[in-house]
Amino acid sequence: MRSRRTTLAVPGSNPRFIEKARGLPADEVFLDLEDAVAPSAKEDARGTVVAALNEGDWAGRTRVVRVNDLDTPWAYRDVIEVVEGAGANLDAIMLPKVSDATHVQWLDRLLTQIERATGLPAGRIGIEAQIEDARGMVNVDAIAASSPRLEALVLGPGDLMASINMKTLVVGEQPPGYTEGDAYHYILMRILMAARANGLQAVDGPYFNVRDVDAFTRAARRSAALGYDGKWVLHPSQIEAGNAVFSPSQDDYDRAELILDAYEHSLGEGRGAARLGDEMIDEASRKMALVVAVKGRAAGMARTKRSEPPGN
């Protein structure tokens, strides 16, 4: 599973921003052909994106292109030109404003046709589906199960807030007058449940006040605490904070790996439970430890503690 602690949004029409993005430590970079590109520049931006994917060194980062949504005249040409031109150097397509499973299935079928026509490995290019309106929320279970290419569900908070008439003009902030709990909790959990039920990652949307890193960090901690895999970042100043929030601490990562070692040793001896220090561990412990270990490995963390013999 790809690491998506931070997903950096970059306008696909801006070569200077694209070049800068190559040197930033975000896990994923998506070159945007949708909201970040003016209608008059959309067609030319495709060529800029293709050149950026083919010519630049992305140093192991996940490379994604966000195409325009299906209600626009640009979507199908976005997919065809980008995949035909740079499919070998593309990891996933992000489809915005997904409100129905058929949207993802359309993209899946088109990708398959292009792959077969160009000799690309069938099914290699993944899909990220962005949930941005009330209809998409209602249909999120079907969307999450719509295609084997699907890798992640992504919250699009601005359009979703407008879709449900939420009374705020600040994306990601609590609406004025809402004093009981978190106005976004249901939205975040609904997307997360659909994602996890189908083996997908869940990515939180952006925080728009790029100068307030503390507020970004608070918003990131909220979704990370629920179990989200990462969050969009709109500015380089948000990347370090996002990577830290969505990575396990070194102590937690080491502990998780030790639990997995001890449990594997226990199974090898025919026992279904084990001891690690003073703690008893079982299959539920293994599952919890595996979640932390996988996130640590994806983030490139290294162990600082070795396995302890069970019973010590």
Side-chain angles (χ1 to χ4, degrees), residues 75-295:
Y76 80 104
R77 292 302 311 171
D78 288 346
V79 178
I80 291 170
E81 292 188 27
V82 168
V83 178
E84 286 187 345
N89 297 308
L90 176 68
D91 296 308
I93 292 285
M94 184 187 302
L95 187 62
K97 297 177 176 61
V98 175
S99 59
D100 188 273
T102 59
H103 293 185
V104 177
Q105 290 161 353
W106 169 86
L107 179 56
D108 186 335
R109 181 62 60 86
L110 182 56
L111 286 171
T112 299
Q113 291 173 336
I114 299 170
E115 288 166 342
R116 289 174 177 170
T118 58
L120 292 169
R124 185 191 63 80
I125 297 172
I127 296 173
E128 298 180 5
Q130 200 171 2
I131 308 301
E132 301 190 72
D133 64 11
R135 186 165 169 241
M137 286 294 300
V138 170
N139 292 330
V140 69
D141 290 323
I143 292 168
S146 61
S147 167
R149 290 184 189 265
L150 203 56
E151 297 184 6
L153 298 180
V154 182
L155 170 62
D159 283 282
L160 182 55
M161 290 157 61
S163 169
I164 62 176
N165 294 342
M166 187 177 283
K167 293 184 177 181
T168 180
L169 294 174
V170 183
V171 175
E173 287 290 354
Q174 300 298 315
Y178 195 92
T179 59
E180 300 297 329
D182 179 359
Y184 302 97
H185 182 75
Y186 169 78
I187 293 169
L188 289 167
M189 287 301 294
R190 189 71 186 84
I191 291 173
L192 181 64
M193 290 299 105
R196 292 295 186 256
N198 291 277
L200 308 178
Q201 290 182 313
V203 179
D204 192 9
Y207 187 85
F208 277 41
N209 187 346
V210 297
R211 296 186 183 277
D212 193 341
V213 178
D214 289 340
F216 166 84
T217 302
R218 287 195 299 272
R221 284 175 176 161
R222 174 185 64 188
S223 52
L226 295 176
Y228 270 66
D229 298 284
K231 186 172 179 64
W232 274 19
V233 290
L234 301 179
H235 191 271
S237 64
Q238 298 176 330
I239 295 175
E240 181 179 357
N243 283 343
V245 168
F246 289 98
S247 297
S249 69
Q250 186 65 54
D251 285 345
D252 285 347
Y253 174 64
D254 283 334
R255 182 69 178 174
E257 293 286 13
L258 292 175
I259 289 172
L260 294 176
D261 289 347
Y263 191 67
E264 183 179 3
H265 185 276
S266 176
L267 290 180
E269 294 188 340
R271 294 180 286 113
R275 234 181 78 193
L276 184 63
D278 294 329
E279 181 183 356
M280 295 300 299
I281 58 176
D282 57 12
E283 174 62 14
S285 307
R286 183 197 68 82
K287 291 177 180 177
M288 295 168 64
L290 186 60
V291 170
V292 175
V294 166
K295 288 188 176 183

Side-chain angles (χ1 to χ4, degrees), residues 12-15 18 32-33 37-52 74 78 81-82:
S13 57
N14 193 316
I18 293 172
D32 192 15
L33 294 174
V37 179
S40 61
K42 286 186 184 293
E43 293 184 6
D44 289 342
R46 296 172 188 151
T48 303
V49 165
V50 168
W74 302 292
D78 288 346
E81 292 188 27
V82 168

Side-chain angles (χ1 to χ4, degrees), residues 55-69:
E55 299 169 6
D57 180 8
W58 293 99
R61 292 172 185 82
T62 298
R63 302 154 299 179
V64 177
V65 172
R66 181 167 73 164
V67 298
N68 286 278
D69 72 85

